[in-house]
Amino acid sequence: MKVVVIGAQWGDEGKGKIVDYLAEDAKYVVRYAGGPNAGHTIVVDGKQFALHQVPSGILYPEKSVFLGAGMVIDPEALFNELQMLKDNGINWEGRVFISDRAHIILPGYRQMDKDRDAQRKRPIGTTGRGIGIAYSEKAHRDGLRLADLDWDVKMAEFDGEDKAYLDKYKERLLEMRVDLTAKMFEFRKENILFEGAQGAMLDIDSGTYPYVSSGASCSAGAATGCGIGPHDLDKILGVFKAYETRVGNGPMPTEFNNESEGELCEYVRKTGREYGVTTGRARRCGYLDLVALRYACRVNSLDSLVLTHLDIYDTFDEIEACVAYDIDGKIVTDFPANVGQMERAKPILEKFKGWKTSLKECRSYENLPKEARGYVEFIEDYCKVPVGIISVGYERNETFIRSNPWK
């Protein structure tokens, strides 16, 4: 069974926790897109791990994990992350592998990334990690892949700082190199979990372009980034929060108004710990955008949704979610491609009665208050996709399954 987990919003939906949770029943975990700009937070027995390039399944001692062909790898950051795991008692040696088709981020890419964004008339709000430059070089066919590190003709193109940097990490990287397509074929009868990065609304083709990431954060990226065909993907899960967040610039129609809803925004941000794992910057927060979520369901062929952070609303008398946009006086229920329209969109909100009780101890759908079940069922009906997993806290065990994706 091959199961894909993607973010169904603008990233930061809790994918890391869900991948970690589902990895117990997988033999292999493959990360298929993004680079060190991703931040996946996992809490196990009160201990927090922040992962950026290493797939979330690494915390299980018997699992092997793979960094896919769709990723761009920062060697320095990767080995720092592996050292962090080792310092915390996680023995990763012999369990972390990198596709020979993955691209390498060079030191100069970081400053180039920042300079390019600063020169834009409409800055993207990049993390400045060099990811965009690496993907740009890849598209220009000037990038450096892991497979090229022992190709003398290619390596002769590098000198100075870049050569010294590559010489420092070359041998260790080559020890982790694998032919991912061959491995996926070898393991075709096993349970494999494919881990996305960022979110569906940041995909370079189907997201809010140009305010998107440079890689394929859509479900189809699991095939292209792992060296398999789409026919081999069995289930696709989309993770979303009970509200909306976004990092960086770009349209977000349901964003809380800082003047009239500043207190609400601060509560959600503080309670939900809405600060970037990679950058530490505060995330923009807003009402759940069902128009965008339904679009993500459709464009990614989601079989099931995973709802996280439902417990954030435990103290609310009333909660709201966006069911349509008002764009220049016209009611719109399909997600538009035009960024100008998105920036002018005003959310049309539906009200729901709050449940006024803690969900932290809930371990089944039947244990949820009827008001919480009503909110979930409205989402399902609107998106026409079932919610198969619900998370009510940060710990691994604060999660329950309604529909097991491995069956």
Side-chain angles (χ1 to χ4, degrees), residues 315-326:
T315 62
F316 283 51
D317 294 314
E318 187 177 73
I319 60 179
E320 297 178 272
C322 172
V323 295
Y325 304 142
D326 180 335

Side-chain angles (χ1 to χ4, degrees), residues 202-252:
L202 293 174
D203 181 75
I204 193 163
D205 290 309
S206 54
T208 49
Y209 188 90
Y211 300 101
V212 293
S213 184
S214 300
S217 50
C218 60
S219 61
T224 59
C226 297
I228 63 173
H231 184 70
D232 290 326
L233 303 178
D234 297 301
K235 297 278 184 67
I236 302 171
L237 279 57
V239 185
F240 75 104
K241 284 186 285 205
Y243 51 94
E244 207 84 16
T245 63
R246 181 166 191 165
V247 173
N249 302 328
M252 183 180 170

Side-chain angles (χ1 to χ4, degrees), residues 71-363:
M71 288 188 67
V72 288
I73 310 297
D74 181 325
E76 181 180 19
L78 173 62
F79 287 110
N80 286 341
E81 188 173 328
L82 292 171
Q83 185 61 49
M84 176 276 293
L85 289 169
K86 188 173 183 178
D87 292 343
N88 282 278
I90 306 299
N91 181 20
W92 62 267
E93 284 91 345
R95 299 196 296 120
V96 179
F97 304 95
I98 309 173
S99 168
D100 54 9
R101 287 178 166 82
H103 279 247
I104 305 295
I105 298 173
L106 295 174
Y109 288 5
R110 301 180 192 125
Q111 192 58 48
M112 290 169 64
D113 206 358
K114 295 173 184 176
D115 292 344
R116 182 173 294 182
D117 204 42
Q119 293 165 6
R120 290 187 172 102
K121 292 182 179 179
R122 297 164 67 93
I124 303 300
T126 173
T127 58
R129 302 280 170 159
I131 285 88
I133 301 300
Y135 278 116
S136 177
E137 291 294 287
K138 176 180 178 178
H140 279 288
R141 290 152 291 183
D142 293 319
L144 175 69
R145 304 177 306 161
L146 184 56
D148 301 330
L149 291 182
D150 55 3
W151 180 23
D152 293 340
V153 174
K154 181 67 177 180
M155 296 305 292
E157 298 175 7
F158 300 98
D159 56 20
E161 181 186 13
D162 287 343
K163 184 178 186 304
Y165 181 80
L166 293 170
D167 286 344
K168 181 178 180 180
Y169 296 108
K170 176 180 174 180
E171 292 306 318
R172 280 188 283 173
L173 288 170
L174 289 175
E175 288 174 0
M176 301 162 72
R177 176 179 59 174
V178 295
D179 179 337
L180 190 54
T181 295
K183 286 295 180 184
M184 291 298 96
F185 184 77
E186 179 185 344
F187 304 146
R188 64 190 181 281
K189 294 183 180 179
E190 305 287 353
N191 280 355
I192 304 177
L193 189 59
F194 297 103
E195 176 182 17
Q198 287 80 48
M201 305 310 294
L202 293 174
D203 181 75
I204 193 163
D205 290 309
S206 54
T208 49
Y209 188 90
Y211 300 101
V212 293
S213 184
S214 300
S217 50
C218 60
S219 61
T224 59
C226 297
I228 63 173
H231 184 70
D232 290 326
L233 303 178
D234 297 301
K235 297 278 184 67
I236 302 171
L237 279 57
V239 185
F240 75 104
K241 284 186 285 205
Y243 51 94
E244 207 84 16
T245 63
R246 181 166 191 165
V247 173
N249 302 328
M252 183 180 170
T254 64
E255 186 170 10
F256 294 136
N257 185 299
N258 282 331
E259 294 182 8
S260 61
E261 299 168 316
E263 188 175 334
L264 172 61
C265 180
E266 189 56 33
Y267 176 84
V268 170
R269 182 178 288 147
K270 184 177 180 180
T271 309
R273 305 182 193 180
E274 297 300 347
Y275 298 90
V277 178
T278 302
T279 63
R281 58 182 170 179
R283 295 172 184 143
R284 299 156 63 190
C285 299
Y287 301 104
L288 175 62
D289 188 337
L290 290 172
V291 179
L293 182 61
R294 182 168 63 186
Y295 169 73
C297 290
R298 292 172 175 176
V299 79
N300 290 285
S301 299
L302 296 187
D303 294 294
S304 180
L305 285 164
V306 179
L307 172 57
T308 65
H309 291 249
L310 185 59
D311 55 301
I312 298 303
Y313 287 137
D314 283 354
T315 62
F316 283 51
D317 294 314
E318 187 177 73
I319 60 179
E320 297 178 272
C322 172
V323 295
Y325 304 142
D326 180 335
I327 303 178
D328 303 328
K330 181 181 178 181
I331 305 303
V332 176
T333 56
D334 287 324
F335 193 81
N338 186 291
V339 170
Q341 291 179 358
M342 289 296 299
E343 290 173 337
R344 299 194 303 275
K346 299 175 183 178
I348 296 175
L349 302 172
E350 180 96 7
K351 297 181 185 295
F352 302 86
K353 185 179 179 181
W355 39 91
K356 300 292 287 182
T357 187
S358 174
L359 303 183
K360 297 286 281 185
E361 302 303 319
C362 289
R363 294 296 178 269

